[in-house]
Amino acid sequence: MFKRVLIANRGEIALRIIRALREMNIESVAVYSTADKDSLPAMTATKSICIGPAKPAESYLNQDLLIDVAQQMGCDAIHPGYGFLSENAEFARKCEENGICFIGPSWQLIEKMGDKQSAKKLMLENNVPVVMGSDDIVRSSEEAVKVAAKIGYPVIIKATAGGGGKGMRIARDEDELLKELTSAQAEAAAAFGNGDCYIEKYIEQPKHIEIQLLADKYGNVVHLGERNCSVQRHHQKLLEESPSWGLSSELRAEMGETAVRAAKAAGYNSVGTVEFIMDASGNYYFMEMNTRIQVEHPVTEMLTDIDLVREQIYIASGRKMELRQEDIEFRGNVIECRINAKGPGTVKVLHFPEGLGVRTESSLFEGCTITPFYDSMIAKIIVHDRSRIEAIRRMRRCLEELVISGVPTNIGEMYMIMNHPEFVSGNYDTSFWEKNKESIGAVDI
Ligand code: ADP
Ligand code: ADP
Ligand code: MG
């Protein structure tokens, strides 16, 4: 097992990883930018070290520096968390070359699955349903027009290196396609250093249903059920729940088996998520695979009582997975709300909800400052209860109890969602936010 692990991340996920490491008697090294000097990860890790200025490129994304620090500090592994370098094959390869274990899949797998278009090809070859679209990257406007005419409008233009909902455009006719293609390519080039885009049929009013997987290095793969992440703003998830409305246990098992087949086809070996898009008739299609721990992993942890970060670390260290599919049970209902800051500020009063079936993941504390440099998510509130309606009531209570003063947040919007009839019905799709944002009282900035 590892002796000391460097966490190449910040915020709530860095704290989450420190917690897992402590429970496993593994030492942790937190790295922080000057903006995160007074942060909980820096204060609670076994050791912590400043790695540079606030700008991510000069700190949390500085690959060579991170590897140097890991070596200087005597770390035998690096946990990348989510975002930042978590899906960067080059970084994972550098770790390997320097004798440091990258806690995630091998760099070859990140490369294979991280490129969305090549992942889709692999899925097609293994009888996993994929969304209809271009067979490859579209290199010219003429090609794009041809593909779109074949699959029919509306279409969605997607960056093959994309993530975090960026670089995506919907086109309802040829004019829009021609206009959006260039801007999607430019956005992708700026955000991911790769402007390659492909085209897919745009599924109307779809549900985002994803399957959590655990796979070890010996070919054992299990699935841990689904998460419904259909409440999204600009293609980014706002809240997640499990089980999902309208998914029979047969369909859940079938989607789970499809995801397991996908992982086995890739030779996958870590935690990972297969994201599906589901149309109004319940047909589902592979969208992408995330080869990392996800923001919403606590939903599955609360439902199954399995510590995914701990499992991920065991797997990376070469342990054989003891879990079998038949051992995995899904109990009750879980909902997670992502609490986002809507601007910078200093937290004056902070109170997190507590009580039975409540979990908070956050690195906030009274007096801490929210800076504009990083992701706006500042806390996750997760509730568990016996039924969906009880989980909703519990979440309402938690949002009433939650106090974060001094920083503008989306707590009010989350509360409105919990009281919205369409959300309460359980039968909502990714159009929910756009359709209801006024009634939710959202100021869409
Ligand atoms: P998840 O996929 O875990 O449900 P998100 O899509 O919100 O959650 O992504 C988690 C974080 O990682 C966000 O901060 C997002 O901006 C960032 N992220 C995800 N993929 C990429 C990527 N390819 N490049 C840069 N940032 C990314
Ligand atoms: P990212 O890497 O940014 O997470 P995804 O490929 O997972 O990108 O897509 C993000 C979201 O965009 C999905 O959850 C879904 O809401 C929407 N989306 C993506 N592809 C399609 C599609 N073909 N039809 C309809 N919506 C889509
Ligand atoms: Mg995605």
Side-chain angles (χ1 to χ4, degrees), residues 6 29-31 49-51 64-75 100:
L6 182 140
V29 174
V31 295
I49 181 164
C50 182
I51 49 161
D64 295 332
L65 176 65
L66 288 164
I67 288 174
D68 271 358
V69 170
Q71 285 177 327
Q72 276 167 32
M73 302 293 284
C75 298
I100 297 166

mmCIF file of all heavy atoms in Angstrom, residues 6 29-31 49-51 64-75 100:
data_model
loop_
_atom_site.group_PDB
_atom_site.id
_atom_site.type_symbol
_atom_site.label_atom_id
_atom_site.label_comp_id
_atom_site.label_asym_id
_atom_site.label_seq_id
_atom_site.Cartn_x
_atom_site.Cartn_y
_atom_site.Cartn_z
ATOM 1 N N LEU A 6 0.325 12.472 -2.709
ATOM 2 C CA LEU A 6 0.170 13.902 -2.999
ATOM 3 C C LEU A 6 -1.190 14.113 -3.654
ATOM 4 O O LEU A 6 -1.602 13.349 -4.529
ATOM 5 C CB LEU A 6 1.287 14.383 -3.927
ATOM 6 C CG LEU A 6 1.261 15.883 -4.275
ATOM 7 C CD1 LEU A 6 2.691 16.429 -4.278
ATOM 8 C CD2 LEU A 6 0.629 16.156 -5.635
ATOM 9 N N VAL A 29 -0.148 14.682 1.320
ATOM 10 C CA VAL A 29 0.554 15.947 1.067
ATOM 11 C C VAL A 29 -0.384 16.830 0.251
ATOM 12 O O VAL A 29 -0.776 16.475 -0.863
ATOM 13 C CB VAL A 29 1.882 15.724 0.309
ATOM 14 C CG1 VAL A 29 2.515 17.059 -0.058
ATOM 15 C CG2 VAL A 29 2.844 14.889 1.147
ATOM 16 N N ALA A 30 -0.779 17.960 0.847
ATOM 17 C CA ALA A 30 -1.628 18.907 0.125
ATOM 18 C C ALA A 30 -0.734 19.926 -0.557
ATOM 19 O O ALA A 30 0.223 20.424 0.038
ATOM 20 C CB ALA A 30 -2.576 19.599 1.100
ATOM 21 N N VAL A 31 -1.035 20.220 -1.819
ATOM 22 C CA VAL A 31 -0.350 21.321 -2.489
ATOM 23 C C VAL A 31 -1.356 22.461 -2.618
ATOM 24 O O VAL A 31 -2.545 22.216 -2.769
ATOM 25 C CB VAL A 31 0.182 20.913 -3.884
ATOM 26 C CG1 VAL A 31 1.260 19.845 -3.760
ATOM 27 C CG2 VAL A 31 -0.946 20.434 -4.786
ATOM 28 N N ILE A 49 2.288 22.127 1.107
ATOM 29 C CA ILE A 49 3.344 22.898 0.470
ATOM 30 C C ILE A 49 2.758 23.816 -0.603
ATOM 31 O O ILE A 49 1.870 23.424 -1.357
ATOM 32 C CB ILE A 49 4.431 21.944 -0.109
ATOM 33 C CG1 ILE A 49 5.568 22.715 -0.777
ATOM 34 C CG2 ILE A 49 3.854 20.931 -1.083
ATOM 35 C CD1 ILE A 49 6.797 21.859 -1.009
ATOM 36 N N CYS A 50 3.260 25.044 -0.624
ATOM 37 C CA CYS A 50 2.800 26.020 -1.609
ATOM 38 C C CYS A 50 3.475 25.720 -2.949
ATOM 39 O O CYS A 50 4.690 25.508 -2.992
ATOM 40 C CB CYS A 50 3.133 27.430 -1.136
ATOM 41 S SG CYS A 50 2.547 28.684 -2.286
ATOM 42 N N ILE A 51 2.680 25.711 -4.028
ATOM 43 C CA ILE A 51 3.278 25.377 -5.329
ATOM 44 C C ILE A 51 3.208 26.514 -6.341
ATOM 45 O O ILE A 51 3.508 26.309 -7.518
ATOM 46 C CB ILE A 51 2.647 24.115 -5.954
ATOM 47 C CG1 ILE A 51 1.118 24.219 -5.924
ATOM 48 C CG2 ILE A 51 3.131 22.853 -5.268
ATOM 49 C CD1 ILE A 51 0.429 23.293 -6.884
ATOM 50 N N ASP A 64 5.151 19.331 -14.325
ATOM 51 C CA ASP A 64 6.520 18.997 -13.914
ATOM 52 C C ASP A 64 6.788 19.387 -12.465
ATOM 53 O O ASP A 64 7.408 18.651 -11.713
ATOM 54 C CB ASP A 64 7.528 19.663 -14.855
ATOM 55 C CG ASP A 64 7.405 19.092 -16.267
ATOM 56 O OD1 ASP A 64 6.984 17.921 -16.378
ATOM 57 O OD2 ASP A 64 7.681 19.811 -17.237
ATOM 58 N N LEU A 65 6.237 20.532 -12.082
ATOM 59 C CA LEU A 65 6.401 20.973 -10.700
ATOM 60 C C LEU A 65 5.736 19.973 -9.729
ATOM 61 O O LEU A 65 6.319 19.601 -8.710
ATOM 62 C CB LEU A 65 5.782 22.374 -10.527
ATOM 63 C CG LEU A 65 5.788 22.926 -9.116
ATOM 64 C CD1 LEU A 65 7.218 23.159 -8.629
ATOM 65 C CD2 LEU A 65 5.013 24.249 -9.041
ATOM 66 N N LEU A 66 4.537 19.529 -10.070
ATOM 67 C CA LEU A 66 3.823 18.588 -9.201
ATOM 68 C C LEU A 66 4.620 17.290 -9.027
ATOM 69 O O LEU A 66 4.707 16.744 -7.922
ATOM 70 C CB LEU A 66 2.428 18.292 -9.761
ATOM 71 C CG LEU A 66 1.434 19.450 -9.620
ATOM 72 C CD1 LEU A 66 0.218 19.261 -10.525
ATOM 73 C CD2 LEU A 66 0.982 19.581 -8.157
ATOM 74 N N ILE A 67 5.212 16.832 -10.116
ATOM 75 C CA ILE A 67 5.995 15.596 -10.037
ATOM 76 C C ILE A 67 7.266 15.814 -9.207
ATOM 77 O O ILE A 67 7.597 14.989 -8.349
ATOM 78 C CB ILE A 67 6.286 15.051 -11.454
ATOM 79 C CG1 ILE A 67 4.972 14.495 -12.015
ATOM 80 C CG2 ILE A 67 7.371 13.975 -11.436
ATOM 81 C CD1 ILE A 67 5.008 14.055 -13.432
ATOM 82 N N ASP A 68 7.901 16.961 -9.412
ATOM 83 C CA ASP A 68 9.078 17.311 -8.588
ATOM 84 C C ASP A 68 8.736 17.319 -7.110
ATOM 85 O O ASP A 68 9.443 16.739 -6.283
ATOM 86 C CB ASP A 68 9.553 18.734 -8.942
ATOM 87 C CG ASP A 68 10.560 18.711 -10.076
ATOM 88 O OD1 ASP A 68 10.888 17.601 -10.540
ATOM 89 O OD2 ASP A 68 10.999 19.811 -10.492
ATOM 90 N N VAL A 69 7.635 18.001 -6.793
ATOM 91 C CA VAL A 69 7.225 18.110 -5.385
ATOM 92 C C VAL A 69 6.919 16.723 -4.821
ATOM 93 O O VAL A 69 7.327 16.384 -3.712
ATOM 94 C CB VAL A 69 6.007 19.058 -5.247
ATOM 95 C CG1 VAL A 69 5.418 18.986 -3.848
ATOM 96 C CG2 VAL A 69 6.407 20.492 -5.576
ATOM 97 N N ALA A 70 6.231 15.902 -5.604
ATOM 98 C CA ALA A 70 5.896 14.546 -5.131
ATOM 99 C C ALA A 70 7.180 13.791 -4.797
ATOM 100 O O ALA A 70 7.262 13.109 -3.766
ATOM 101 C CB ALA A 70 5.080 13.800 -6.191
ATOM 102 N N GLN A 71 8.176 13.936 -5.653
ATOM 103 C CA GLN A 71 9.437 13.225 -5.399
ATOM 104 C C GLN A 71 10.163 13.783 -4.186
ATOM 105 O O GLN A 71 10.608 13.034 -3.322
ATOM 106 C CB GLN A 71 10.315 13.270 -6.649
ATOM 107 C CG GLN A 71 9.771 12.294 -7.683
ATOM 108 C CD GLN A 71 10.526 12.312 -8.994
ATOM 109 O OE1 GLN A 71 11.028 13.360 -9.407
ATOM 110 N NE2 GLN A 71 10.617 11.168 -9.644
ATOM 111 N N GLN A 72 10.227 15.115 -4.119
ATOM 112 C CA GLN A 72 10.894 15.742 -2.965
ATOM 113 C C GLN A 72 10.236 15.358 -1.650
ATOM 114 O O GLN A 72 10.910 15.194 -0.635
ATOM 115 C CB GLN A 72 10.810 17.264 -3.088
ATOM 116 C CG GLN A 72 11.893 17.871 -3.947
ATOM 117 C CD GLN A 72 11.548 19.322 -4.263
ATOM 118 O OE1 GLN A 72 10.931 20.015 -3.460
ATOM 119 N NE2 GLN A 72 11.918 19.759 -5.445
ATOM 120 N N MET A 73 8.919 15.229 -1.673
ATOM 121 C CA MET A 73 8.188 14.944 -0.439
ATOM 122 C C MET A 73 8.093 13.442 -0.162
ATOM 123 O O MET A 73 7.434 13.022 0.776
ATOM 124 C CB MET A 73 6.777 15.537 -0.506
ATOM 125 C CG MET A 73 6.725 17.032 -0.740
ATOM 126 S SD MET A 73 7.369 18.004 0.641
ATOM 127 C CE MET A 73 6.033 17.887 1.804
ATOM 128 N N GLY A 74 8.690 12.650 -1.017
ATOM 129 C CA GLY A 74 8.692 11.198 -0.797
ATOM 130 C C GLY A 74 7.332 10.548 -1.005
ATOM 131 O O GLY A 74 6.989 9.578 -0.316
ATOM 132 N N CYS A 75 6.562 11.058 -1.951
ATOM 133 C CA CYS A 75 5.234 10.470 -2.222
ATOM 134 C C CYS A 75 5.366 9.321 -3.213
ATOM 135 O O CYS A 75 6.123 9.425 -4.179
ATOM 136 C CB CYS A 75 4.295 11.517 -2.806
ATOM 137 S SG CYS A 75 3.996 12.886 -1.682
ATOM 138 N N ILE A 100 5.938 7.195 -10.027
ATOM 139 C CA ILE A 100 4.875 7.585 -9.103
ATOM 140 C C ILE A 100 3.565 7.006 -9.619
ATOM 141 O O ILE A 100 3.258 7.111 -10.804
ATOM 142 C CB ILE A 100 4.765 9.128 -9.023
ATOM 143 C CG1 ILE A 100 6.060 9.710 -8.458
ATOM 144 C CG2 ILE A 100 3.567 9.558 -8.180
ATOM 145 C CD1 ILE A 100 6.187 11.205 -8.662
#
